[in-house]
């Protein structure tokens, strides 16, 4: 499963610069499941040092990392929910993503004019939130208009339950509270899943700073964004979009030297990917052999048959057992044979909950 994140932001906050850095790192490989890449899509590999180790050990014909798909959501300005900018096109794009990366300007620069005239990250966040809330409110009210009278007339339990939930969400949205901040039961979350509400999606704020702030880590603006995000359970990554654009043209050696000079260990883009995985509750398992070493993304708490289904539906349908060893054990003992000798290679059944770093061979029969 390739993770999809939509990048949003007001004009002149650094969104285009960040997206340019991403598209320069585009991975176009024959084994990537996309024949063409749209102009507004950037695909980068998920950094994982474990793959380097597995590549050296197995020397496979093919090495396939998991991918992160960034979608540049253009057209977001005040009034987008009423058709300003790209309007409905923008809104349809953002409904398709797993998470929203909101680029927020956290630097002063007189030469780069802010659309609102000054640097104020919290104001910018509010402008975007209002547009997303208005868009969701339109969907909620449209659905209520279709179902409320029917529910009152038929007294059907499911319809009445949906109406009550929609009114609960309507009240929250009218008070500028996004759906992700509304406490919902598991059943209520299942009901709203089909509505694909934008404000129900997880958000990561990319606090875009200048190069002087990168090594220090924070400034007065990033502190404001972090406090805001903390109150709503969102994540923040401090990033310098200009530096990311420079890094995207370097080779690995130059990149490491540049980061060292800047006093940081990981690039902002890497931090952004790690933060998104954490926020969405994602992990990685591996399949390894001489033909291919491959990383696969799965949601924490997923059982072995469902993870097998990520590879192929037949694997899940005919699942028998999973041969599993941990990456840590393979690294510790040095080979599959020695892992087996140590009794650390396991046969797991249908109820096994997959763990991050599991190396699997799925037995199936269809």
């Amino acid at each position: 499963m390739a993770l999809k994140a939509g990048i949003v932001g007001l004009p002149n906050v650094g969104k285009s610069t960040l997206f340019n850095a991403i598209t320069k790192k585009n991975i176009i490989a024959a084994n990537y499941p996309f024949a063409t890449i749209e102009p507004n899509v950037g695909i980068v590999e998920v950094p994982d040092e474990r793959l380097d180790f597995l590549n050296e050990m197995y020397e496979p014909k093919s090495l396939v990392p998991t991918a992160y798909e960034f979608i540049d959501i253009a057209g977001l300005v005040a009034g987008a929910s009423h058709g300003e900018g790209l309007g409905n096109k923008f809104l349809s794009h953002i409904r398709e993503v797993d998470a929203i990366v909101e680029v927020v300007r956290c630097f002063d620069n007189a030469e780069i004019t802010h659309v609102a005239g000054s640097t104020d990250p919290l104001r910018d966040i509010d402008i975007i939130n209002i547009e997303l809330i208005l868009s969701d409110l339109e969907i909620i009210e449209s659905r209520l208009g279709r179902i409320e009278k029917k529910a009152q007339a038929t007294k059907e339990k499911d319809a009445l339950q949906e109406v009550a939930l929609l009114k609960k969400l309507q009240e929250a949205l009218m008070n500028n509270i996004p759906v992700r901040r509304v406490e919902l039961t598991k059943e209520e979350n299942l009901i709203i899943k089909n509505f694909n509400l934008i404000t129900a999606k997880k958000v990561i704020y990319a606090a875009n700073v200048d190069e002087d702030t990168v090594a220090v880590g924070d400034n007065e603006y990033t502190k404001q964004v972090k406090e805001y995000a903390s109150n709503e359970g969102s994540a923040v990554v401090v990033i310098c979009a200009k530096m990311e654009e420079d890094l995207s043209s370097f080779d690995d050696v130059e990149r490491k030297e540049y980061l060292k000079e800047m006093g940081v260990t990981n690039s902002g883009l890497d931090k952004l990917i790690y933060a998104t995985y954490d926020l969405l509750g994602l992990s990685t398992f591996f399949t390894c052999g001489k033909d291919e070493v491959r990383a696969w993304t799965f949601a924490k708490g997923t059982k072995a048959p469902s993870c097998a289904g990520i590879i192929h539906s037949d694997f899940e349908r005919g699942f028998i057992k999973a041969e599993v060893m941990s990456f840590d054990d393979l690294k510790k003992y040095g080979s599959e044979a020695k892992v087996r000798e140590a009794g650390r290679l396991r046969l797991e059944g249908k109820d096994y909950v997959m763990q991050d770093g599991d190396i699997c061979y799925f037995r199936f029969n269809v």
Side-chain angles (χ1 to χ4, degrees), residues 293-312:
V293 166
R294 186 165 187 154
W296 306 85
T297 302
F298 69 99
K300 291 177 183 176
T302 304
K303 292 184 178 180
S306 296
C307 281
I310 294 172
I311 300 173
H312 197 287

Side-chain angles (χ1 to χ4, degrees), residues 233-250:
S234 295
V236 179
V237 173
V238 177
I239 192 169
C240 175
K242 180 64 176 67
M243 189 175 91
E244 294 304 312
E245 190 173 31
D246 292 340
L247 280 170
S248 64
S249 61
F250 294 169

Side-chain angles (χ1 to χ4, degrees), residues 4 58 65-66 102 127-128 131 139 157 171 206 215 232 249 253 279 288 295 304 334 348 350 361:
K4 291 185 180 181
Y58 287 91
T66 53
E102 186 170 328
I127 290 172
I128 290 176
E131 295 307 319
I139 287 177
K157 181 182 175 182
E171 182 181 359
E232 69 166 21
S249 61
V253 174
L279 192 68
C288 299
E348 301 287 0
K350 294 182 178 180
Y361 173 77

Side-chain angles (χ1 to χ4, degrees), residues 94-339:
I94 201 170
R95 290 192 191 282
E96 298 169 1
V97 303
D98 301 303
I100 297 171
V101 175
E102 186 170 328
V103 183
V104 185
R105 178 166 166 172
C106 291
F107 65 89
D108 292 316
N109 189 328
E111 295 179 4
I112 305 175
T113 306
H114 192 289
V115 67
S118 62
T119 303
D120 186 343
L122 298 188
R123 175 204 58 213
D124 294 355
I125 289 171
D126 281 341
I127 290 172
I128 290 176
N129 279 349
I130 287 169
E131 295 307 319
L132 303 186
I133 282 171
L134 289 173
S135 174
D136 278 354
L137 195 56
E138 185 178 343
I139 287 177
I140 295 292
E141 292 177 343
S142 174
R143 178 62 179 168
L144 267 174
R146 292 197 302 272
I147 195 175
E148 189 170 12
K149 287 184 180 178
K150 176 188 172 184
Q152 290 172 347
T154 64
K155 303 297 181 184
E156 289 180 4
K157 181 182 175 182
D158 290 347
L160 288 169
Q161 186 179 13
E162 184 178 333
V163 168
L165 173 58
L166 290 172
K167 287 187 173 181
K168 176 180 175 180
L169 297 179
Q170 181 186 41
E171 182 181 359
L173 292 169
M174 290 182 72
N175 284 291
N176 287 335
I177 300 171
V179 173
R180 64 180 171 273
R181 293 178 65 178
V182 179
E183 198 170 318
L184 300 174
T185 66
K186 188 175 181 180
E187 192 175 0
E188 286 174 330
N189 274 312
L190 286 174
I191 294 171
I192 69 167
K193 191 174 182 181
N194 293 329
F195 302 145
N196 214 8
L197 299 173
I198 299 173
T199 65
K201 297 181 186 297
K202 300 282 190 179
V203 172
I204 289 184
Y205 296 100
N208 185 25
V209 300
D210 54 26
E211 291 178 274
D212 292 337
T213 307
V214 172
V216 179
D218 276 310
N219 59 29
E220 59 177 301
Y221 299 128
T222 61
K223 289 175 183 176
Q224 292 173 19
V225 175
K226 285 182 176 180
E227 183 178 358
Y228 180 94
S230 176
N231 291 334
E232 69 166 21
S234 295
V236 179
V237 173
V238 177
I239 192 169
C240 175
K242 180 64 176 67
M243 189 175 91
E244 294 304 312
E245 190 173 31
D246 292 340
L247 280 170
S248 64
S249 61
F250 294 169
D251 61 31
D252 287 344
V253 174
E254 291 173 327
R255 185 170 173 270
K256 287 178 182 177
E257 288 178 356
Y258 185 91
L259 289 172
K260 188 177 180 180
E261 286 177 10
M262 295 299 295
V264 293
T265 52
N266 288 312
S267 74
L269 184 55
D270 288 351
K271 290 177 183 176
L272 187 60
I273 293 172
Y274 297 144
T276 309
Y277 264 60
D278 185 58
L279 192 68
L280 293 177
L282 301 176
S283 292
T284 303
F285 74 90
F286 303 96
T287 51
C288 299
K290 287 296 182 183
D291 286 334
E292 179 184 83
V293 166
R294 186 165 187 154
W296 306 85
T297 302
F298 69 99
K300 291 177 183 176
T302 304
K303 292 184 178 180
S306 296
C307 281
I310 294 172
I311 300 173
H312 197 287
S313 57
D314 284 350
F315 286 21
E316 181 174 12
R317 187 159 54 92
F319 180 89
I320 300 172
K321 292 283 184 182
E323 289 185 13
V324 183
M325 61 180 162
S326 72
F327 171 83
D328 288 342
D329 280 342
L330 180 61
K331 188 174 182 179
K332 176 182 176 180
Y333 293 105
S335 72
E336 285 189 17
K338 289 181 179 178
V339 171

